[in-house]
Amino acid sequence: MLYVLLPLIFAISTFFAMIGQGGGTFYVPLLIFAGLTMKSAPSLSLILILATSSAALITYWRNNQVDWKLALVIDPPTDVMAFVGAYFSTLVAPVYLRSLLAGVLILGGFLMLRPPNLSDVKPADHT
């Protein structure tokens, strides 16, 4: 199973790094399908996301494509809440965690299929 899992994770990491996503929506289900528990799959997924994001950050940073102001506003709360979520996930039965994951994936898929509302988008300032 490991020989199938490693190329899949490498391919997912490469693709999601190119489009600026972490890949967790694919890692967790893939790891659960491979036999990991709902308690260990998210933590391994976060390690994979950290590795992918770190490698992508270097490339995007070299090409001046990192919005540091936005990153410094968004990142600290998400880091803190990752620890809070991990702590409280140990108190919830795995069936509820899997159901929540399925719901989030369905909602995310639905939102991705909706056409974007471009009336709220401001043009980028390239001066």
Side-chain angles (χ1 to χ4, degrees):
M1 181 59 104
L2 185 63
Y3 295 110
V4 174
L5 200 56
L6 287 177
L8 279 173
I9 288 174
F10 182 78
I12 291 169
S13 298
T14 302
F15 175 73
F16 278 99
M18 290 190 305
I19 62 170
Q21 296 293 319
T25 55
F26 282 96
Y27 292 140
V28 174
L30 181 67
L31 293 169
I32 290 172
F33 180 72
L36 273 73
T37 66
M38 193 61 193
K39 301 289 184 184
S40 60
S43 48
L44 181 55
S45 171
L46 289 174
I47 292 170
L48 294 170
I49 291 169
L50 175 65
T52 302
S53 300
S54 298
L57 173 63
I58 293 167
T59 302
Y60 287 121
W61 185 12
R62 287 181 183 162
N63 291 304
N64 295 320
Q65 295 179 322
V66 177
D67 185 346
W68 288 107
K69 289 179 189 174
L70 179 62
L72 292 173
V73 169
I74 291 175
D75 191 55
T78 58
D79 292 345
V80 170
M81 293 314 291
F83 284 104
V84 172
Y87 174 79
F88 284 110
S89 73
T90 61
L91 305 174
V92 179
V95 67
Y96 297 122
L97 292 174
R98 284 192 301 271
S99 299
L100 182 62
L101 175 63
V104 168
L105 292 175
I106 290 168
L107 177 64
F110 171 75
L111 293 174
M112 289 174 62
L113 293 174
R114 289 183 36 210
N117 183 3
L118 298 178
S119 64
D120 294 338
V121 177
K122 297 177 185 176
D125 183 16
H126 295 288
T127 57

